[in-house]
Amino acid sequence: MRRSKVLAFAAATTITLSFCTSSHAADPVDDMIVTDFVIEEPVYDWSGTYLGGHVGYTHLRGQDRFDSSSGYDGAVGGIFAGYNFVYDNFFVGPELEASYWGYSGHSSSGLDLDSDYMLAAKLRAGITYDFLLGYANIGVATSRITAENRRFGSNSDSAQMTGWMIGAGVEAFITERLAVRLDYQHIDFGSKTFQIGSTSFSEDVTNDMVRLGVSYHFETF
């Protein structure tokens, strides 16, 4: 009787252990959650609309019929906006700008030239490489130039002068939407006749600028 009970207990124990072992093996013992951390590289999109501002140095130069040359140094600041059409690594697009500038100094000939603003429309073209962009531009610029010479009289004369603009620059994205630029621009306003007192004279006016700018590039849909 005792032997039967022992055998029954051993059989029951064996069945119980077998059931527990099989149930335990069926459960996922090592459930590991593997998460991949993917760092996406920023995508720099040069196409589309952008808006920005710039500040820099400007130099106004005049050459008159008396063969005297006058140069005036000043500061420039303004805003610009444009649109880029990008094809592979090439781009082309229009840009408009409005700048305020001012000049100081007096020439040895007695002539003083001054101006308050400049408006320009230009076409840019160049290449892009990842976060970098290089370009050249050509366009037209206009400004109201004021001439004064105390030797000819106490009054001054002003004229709206329009000429061609040429330049080049480089840009770089510092975020996915924000870019900085450095550019150089040369403007040839051509020749204009000024009248001060009883004296009239023709003045050839040019301008050179070096500017640092920042622009925001809007998302293209």
Side-chain angles (χ1 to χ4, degrees):
M1 181 69 178
R2 182 177 299 173
R3 181 182 176 86
S4 300
K5 289 183 177 180
V6 170
L7 292 175
F9 177 77
T13 302
T14 302
I15 294 172
T16 302
L17 290 174
S18 299
F19 177 78
C20 292
T21 302
S22 61
S23 299
H24 184 67
D27 293 335
V29 178
D30 297 323
D31 283 340
M32 298 181 63
I33 300 176
V34 179
T35 302
D36 293 332
F37 292 95
V38 179
I39 301 177
E40 294 186 359
E41 299 216 355
V43 177
Y44 302 109
D45 185 9
W46 288 105
S47 63
T49 306
Y50 60 89
L51 176 67
H54 57 245
V55 294
Y57 163 79
T58 179
H59 181 78
L60 189 69
R61 182 176 177 272
Q63 183 83 29
D64 58 32
R65 68 181 177 91
F66 305 105
D67 202 26
S68 63
S69 179
S70 308
Y72 309 89
D73 297 320
V76 59
I79 58 174
F80 57 88
Y83 192 95
N84 291 332
F85 298 92
V86 179
Y87 308 94
D88 294 330
N89 292 107
F90 298 92
F91 87 94
V92 63
E95 183 176 283
L96 301 175
E97 72 167 87
S99 294
Y100 176 83
W101 55 18
Y103 299 92
S104 61
H106 302 280
S107 69
S108 58
S109 65
L111 173 70
D112 291 336
L113 293 179
D114 199 7
S115 178
D116 293 329
Y117 70 90
M118 183 271 295
L119 303 175
K122 51 193 175 182
L123 183 68
R124 301 195 314 159
I127 59 174
T128 67
Y129 181 77
D130 197 26
F131 67 96
L132 294 174
L133 177 148
Y135 66 90
N137 64 262
I138 189 169
V140 294
T142 185
S143 178
R144 189 156 189 84
I145 308 295
T146 300
E148 181 178 334
N149 194 325
R150 295 293 179 178
R151 298 179 183 179
F152 302 151
S154 59
N155 63 321
S156 61
D157 192 17
S158 299
Q160 191 71 31
M161 301 187 71
T162 301
W164 53 269
M165 167 189 276
I166 191 170
V170 61
E171 293 189 47
F173 271 116
I174 55 176
T175 71
E176 287 192 19
R177 294 293 168 200
L178 206 62
V180 294
R181 70 161 62 174
L182 178 66
D183 77 345
Y184 163 77
Q185 301 293 326
H186 173 78
I187 305 173
D188 189 332
F189 287 110
S191 182
K192 203 75 172 181
T193 299
F194 294 89
Q195 179 86 32
I196 300 179
S198 60
T199 304
S200 65
F201 57 95
S202 180
E203 195 76 22
D204 297 321
V205 181
T206 59
N207 180 268
D208 294 279
M209 294 181 290
V210 177
R211 304 174 299 184
L212 180 66
V214 60
S215 60
Y216 182 83
H217 291 251
F218 295 92
E219 185 175 359
T220 303
F221 296 97

